[in-house]
Every structure is written in C-alpha cells, then in structure tokens.
Amino acid sequence: MAGGFAGGGPAKRADLYEHKTTWYFVLACLVASLGGSLFGYDLGVSGRVTSMDDFLVDFFPDIYRRKQSHLNETDYCKYDNQMLTLFTSSLYFAALVATFGASYVTRNKGRRASILVGGVSFFLGAVLNAAAVNIPMLILGRIFLGFGIGFGNQAVPLYLSEISPAKMRGAVNQLFQLTTCLGILVANLINYGTEQIHPWGWRLSLGLATIPATLMFVGGLFLPETPNSLVEQGRLEEGRRVLEKVRGTSNVQAEFEDLLEASREAQAVKNPFRNLLRRKNRPQLVIGALGIPAFQQLTGMNSILFYAPVIFQSLGFGSRASLYSAVISNAALVVAALISMALVDRFGRRAFFLEAGAEMILCMIGVSTVLALEFGEGKQISKGLSVFLVILIFLFVLAYGRSWGPLGWLVPSELFPLETRSAGQSVVVCVNMLFTALIAQCFLVSLCHLQWGIFLLFGALVVVMSCFIFFLLPETKQVPIEEIYMLWDNHWFWKNIVKEDADEEKASKG
C-alpha cells in the first residue's frame, strides 16, 4: 500500500508502556487546548467585523459607500480592498515572525512558557483593537494578536502530543482543533449580538478576545510541563514525577527510558534548524513542516472562515441570512471535530485525509458550477440555489473539519523527533501562517478577478494534496511519538533517502 508501514510496528519498548486516564491528565489537556480558542475566536470575529457598517464607517468609508451604493447588486468585488484585507492578514504575518522566537522559548524554557507568553500577547492585542481610533492602532493590535497566536500554535499542539499516551494521541491533540472550532462558533454568535449595538458593537466583539486569553494564561500558571520537555531540559527527576502523574501509574520505566534516549540524541544537536535539513529528517521536513501546513490553507477553508459573512453577502444573502449561514458552517466544524476525535485513532490519519478529500473536491466543483451558471453581474441567485450553495459549503466544512483541519496540526506535531521537535513545529507554524496570511490577503481580490474559478482552483489543489498524502504519508495512529521515525525505514519512498543518510553517518564515524 502506498504510504503503508510494513515491518510489524515499532521495535522498542512501546508494548511495555502503561497508562490510566486521570483527572490530572484530563484537566491539563483541557487547559492547554484553550490555545485553540484564541486562534478560533479571531478567525470568527475578524471576518464579520470587516463587514459591519459601523466598523467600515470608522476605518474604511470608501468601502462603506461602495457597499451602500450597490445594495441590490450581487457581485464578486464589493469588498476588494487591500488595506481591509491587511487588517486580517497582518496578524498572520506577525505570527509567522513570532514563531521563531517561540521555538527558542519552547525548547529552552518549556512548552508551558510559550503558552503563557501567547496568552499575554493576545490579551494586549485584544485591548488595542477594542480601543483603536485609527488604522495603525488596529494593525498594531493585530500584530500583538499575531504574536500570541504564533506562540500558542507553536506550543499547544506539541504539548498535547507529548503529554498524551500513544493510543489516545489523535483524540487528545484534536482538542486544539475542537477549541478552535468552538472559538469560531462563539465569535459568530457574539457578532450576531454586537452587530445590533451601534456604533461600538464591533469594539465589544474585538475586546472580548481578552476572555480566552485570560483563561489560557491563568490556566497555564497551573499547567505541568510535559515530561519530554523536562527531560530535554535536564530536569530528570521532575520529568519522571510528571510522567507518573499524567500516566496515572508508577510503572513508567519503559517510556521514561525512551524519553532519556531521545533526550541524549537531542542534546547532541546544537542547531536543530540545520538538523532539519539532514536527509534522515527529509520526510518530516517535506511532509510535516512544508507540505501539510501549506496544503491545509490551500484547501480554501480559511477563506470561508475569514470571509463567510462577506461571501454570503456578496452572493446576495441579506445581512442576517449571511450570519445564519456562517453560523451553520461553523457548527459543522464543531461537529466534524467531534467526529474526528472519536474515530481518528481507530481508522487512522490517512483514511480521514483521503475520504474527506474526495468529498471536498466534489463540493468545490458543485459550488463553482452553480456560480458559473447562475451568478454574477447583478444577477440574483434563486432561493433554492442559495440553499443548495449553503449545503455544499456545509458539506465542505464538515469534510475539512474532520481531516485537514485537525490533522493539519496533529500529524506534524507527532512526526518530529525530540531533537528537532520545537524547530520543526516552528517551521510548521511559519509555513501555516505564511499561507494563511497570503490567502487572507489575496482571497477577496482573487474572488473579484477569478470569480467562480477560485473555487474550482481550490478543488484542483485538493486533488494535488490528496495525491501527496496517498503516496508520501505513512499511517501514524497509535505509534509512540518517540518511535515515529521508524516508519520511514519501512516506507516505499522514504526508506532509500533515510538509509543513505544513515550509511553516510556510519561511514563518517568509521
């Protein structure tokens, strides 16, 4: 099977690992996963705020006048303004930069330290945005929010993957995606209420981002550091105590020995970013650090999350109807995250990627076909076709929400060995934020110029990324995180690449 794992499974001590599910472990996971709510709340709030009339009057009066002069016109270009999209994308450019500082903090000070820094920065950004009186102040607030998301998205997926037993890692890691989805849904519901508060309702929407930031920071003060990070920092006794506590048993010798071995290898690596370029780490670099985070954004999903209210208004839905449609889409994300959490450790990562990918392709073809035949140049879509479009977008979101959404964070976080894990996760977040920012900056102008073709383009990209998964990603379900590297030795494509590096290393030592 392409991408399969031959060879009978990990050959170390994985069969000796023991664990029980304790309240200590559950609470640690729930608190850490609050990092996703920051990301989700911003995704949900920013798109709706940019279409609120009061916000547009204060900061983008030209767009407001254009919107009012075309109230009865449904076209693709109502919101095409690069400064408006910079309001959204500046956060992700800032997160891209912040993730390199986050890598240093995460590796040397621990995952918990990055979570705390992320909470403080996001809080400051929310305050600045809520109090903004001009565009530079708005952008500065977005930059602080971006720093918060850069630190949080760097540390939280690692934290959840490292603290989890192998058999539960998929479900636990996807708490990050679940809280992201819940953040988006809550943001849309809040926007529904604040839109009725004139003229400062948008300030309340942006300012309420302080609540998840505060919860993450206060909860982070009580979080245990991961055993992997403590061992990496040389705090061995503390690392063992935490491992016993999160596993609910004192019989952790086998897993602790694997952590010690991984730590010794990590200590030998002085430049983890340079080490990422070695041939033995080529699979993790290509799949985890570059391919999956880039493809996650090229699905087009974040365009829908950013601009769902704008999209539905552009398609002729009224203001209230567009909000209802966006809430329906966000509810689909939450349902999909729960489905993925329940089943991903049973059916595996590859099955979810491939099955959902086929569904996403069909949905994008359907959306582009309807728009090509029935929409544009002031032409109003019928009520029946409008409902059909909402259903297609709902199914697309449902497919993404159980595949590329959660697995785009889960799979990279479990691929890297300890010595390159924080550096690898930094590249993951960097690539993810770069493509998120580019999509945010370019989507509205692309919608204006490519029109229905933008959705067909996203469908074609899903074909490419599904082939990428089919041929290059081995199945990682229930494989201990410190033994993932063994998968490459048995993979039809990667085994020759990593073998050459191993042979060169032996030759240099000999």
Side-chain angles (χ1 to χ4, degrees):
M1 179 180 71
F5 174 42
K12 280 191 171 182
R13 293 172 279 259
D15 56 332
L16 301 177
Y17 290 11
E18 292 186 12
H19 78 273
K20 299 175 184 175
T21 303
T22 66
W23 279 109
Y24 183 80
F25 166 73
V26 170
L27 290 174
C29 292
L30 290 176
V31 170
S33 67
L34 286 172
S37 67
L38 307 187
F39 192 29
Y41 188 85
D42 182 79
L43 282 172
V45 161
S46 57
R48 185 59 187 166
V49 163
T50 54
S51 65
M52 287 185 182
D53 287 346
D54 292 327
F55 177 81
L56 294 176
V57 167
D58 286 345
F59 297 99
F60 302 97
D62 290 343
I63 298 177
Y64 175 76
R65 285 192 292 270
R66 187 195 312 169
K67 178 182 174 183
Q68 294 305 308
S69 64
H70 295 81
L71 281 175
N72 298 317
E73 179 182 335
T74 56
D75 58 55
Y76 291 97
C77 301
K78 282 184 179 180
Y79 295 90
D80 179 19
N81 180 284
Q82 288 300 293
M83 187 57 71
L84 179 64
T85 52
L86 183 62
F87 167 76
T88 298
S89 63
S90 58
L91 180 150
Y92 302 99
F93 285 120
L96 184 158
V97 174
T99 187
F100 293 104
S103 173
Y104 174 83
V105 174
T106 301
R107 188 181 192 200
N108 294 283
K109 305 299 181 183
R111 287 51 164 154
R112 176 173 167 269
S114 280
I115 290 172
L116 293 172
V117 172
V120 170
S121 183
F122 199 87
F123 181 93
L124 293 175
V127 171
L128 277 172
N129 270 180
V133 295
N134 51 47
I135 291 178
M137 194 170 175
L138 271 181
I139 301 300
L140 181 61
R142 298 290 290 172
I143 289 172
F144 273 101
L145 291 173
F147 287 162
I149 285 177
F151 274 83
N153 286 16
Q154 212 274 351
V156 171
L158 284 187
Y159 187 97
L160 293 173
S161 285
E162 289 183 345
I163 206 169
S164 307
K167 292 182 180 180
M168 300 171 58
R169 190 173 63 245
V172 170
N173 186 277
Q174 289 190 68
L175 284 170
F176 179 77
Q177 177 69 9
L178 179 62
T179 55
T180 299
C181 299
L182 288 171
I184 296 168
L185 181 60
V186 168
N188 274 278
L189 294 173
I190 286 173
N191 283 334
Y192 175 73
T194 58
E195 191 177 31
Q196 318 306 317
I197 304 173
H198 303 287
W200 51 271
W202 63 269
R203 295 185 185 276
L204 184 58
S205 285
L206 296 176
L208 286 174
T210 55
I211 294 177
T214 301
L215 290 174
M216 189 174 88
F217 177 79
V218 174
L221 293 174
F222 300 96
L223 274 181
E225 186 55 83
T226 70
N228 311 60
S229 180
L230 291 169
V231 170
E232 188 179 19
Q233 296 173 56
R235 297 154 64 183
L236 303 185
E237 290 302 318
E238 186 179 354
R240 185 181 181 107
R241 284 199 305 272
V242 172
L243 184 62
E244 290 177 355
K245 204 165 184 180
V246 296
R247 294 292 179 262
T249 176
S250 60
N251 190 15
V252 296
Q253 185 60 31
E255 186 171 1
F256 189 68
E257 287 177 6
D258 278 352
L259 287 180
L260 289 175
E261 185 175 327
S263 177
R264 285 191 290 268
E265 294 175 3
Q267 295 302 321
V269 175
K270 303 304 180 185
N271 191 325
F273 283 99
R274 185 180 301 166
N275 193 264
L276 273 175
L277 300 177
R278 292 187 57 181
R279 293 178 69 90
K280 73 172 186 177
N281 293 320
R282 192 68 49 80
Q284 297 95 310
L285 177 67
V286 172
I287 298 174
L290 302 177
I292 288 179
F295 283 141
Q296 186 190 47
Q297 302 311 314
L298 293 175
T299 59
M301 182 60 218
N302 270 359
S303 300
I304 294 173
L305 294 182
F306 287 143
Y307 302 116
V310 171
I311 290 171
F312 286 120
Q313 281 193 18
S314 296
L315 296 181
F317 291 72
S319 178
R320 292 288 184 88
S322 70
L323 182 61
Y324 295 151
S325 302
V327 168
I328 290 171
S329 300
N330 300 145
L333 270 181
V334 175
V335 172
L338 293 171
I339 292 172
S340 191
M341 286 178 66
L343 300 177
V344 73
D345 284 319
R346 179 179 177 185
F347 292 105
R349 285 59 159 154
R350 282 168 49 84
F352 272 76
F353 271 129
L354 298 174
E355 177 275 328
E359 187 176 329
M360 292 163 70
I361 293 165
L362 294 175
C363 290
M364 286 294 97
I365 292 173
V367 170
S368 60
T369 301
V370 171
L371 296 181
L373 297 176
E374 298 292 335
F375 178 72
E377 299 179 0
K379 188 176 181 181
Q380 187 80 24
I381 293 181
S382 68
K383 183 176 181 180
L385 282 176
S386 296
V387 172
F388 181 62
L389 278 176
V390 172
I391 291 172
L392 286 177
I393 290 176
F394 177 88
L395 292 174
F396 178 86
V397 172
L398 195 65
Y400 171 90
R402 65 178 184 272
S403 60
W404 283 95
L407 301 184
W409 294 105
L410 166 61
V411 174
S413 74
E414 62 188 8
L415 291 185
F416 297 99
L418 185 61
E419 64 264 26
T420 60
R421 193 167 296 154
S422 58
Q425 186 67 11
S426 284
V427 179
V428 171
V429 176
C430 178
V431 172
N432 188 287
M433 293 298 115
L434 174 62
F435 278 84
T436 302
L438 291 174
I439 292 293
Q441 189 68 28
C442 298
F443 176 73
L444 289 180
V445 68
S446 300
L447 180 66
C448 181
H449 293 286
L450 295 179
Q451 301 183 2
W452 55 268
I454 187 67
F455 298 101
L456 199 59
L457 174 62
F458 285 138
L461 288 169
V462 178
V463 173
V464 174
M465 60 187 73
S466 295
C467 293
F468 177 86
I469 293 297
F470 182 78
F471 289 109
L472 297 182
L473 179 69
E475 183 53 66
T476 59
K477 70 172 182 178
Q478 299 188 11
V479 180
I481 194 168
E482 303 302 345
E483 301 183 3
I484 291 284
Y485 74 92
M486 295 181 181
L487 298 173
W488 316 119
D489 295 334
N490 298 283
H491 188 274
W492 72 275
F493 178 78
W494 296 117
K495 63 183 179 182
N496 295 320
I497 293 175
V498 298
K499 182 177 182 299
E500 289 177 16
D501 189 82
D503 292 342
E504 291 175 7
E505 189 173 354
K506 287 179 182 178
S508 65
K509 289 181 178 180

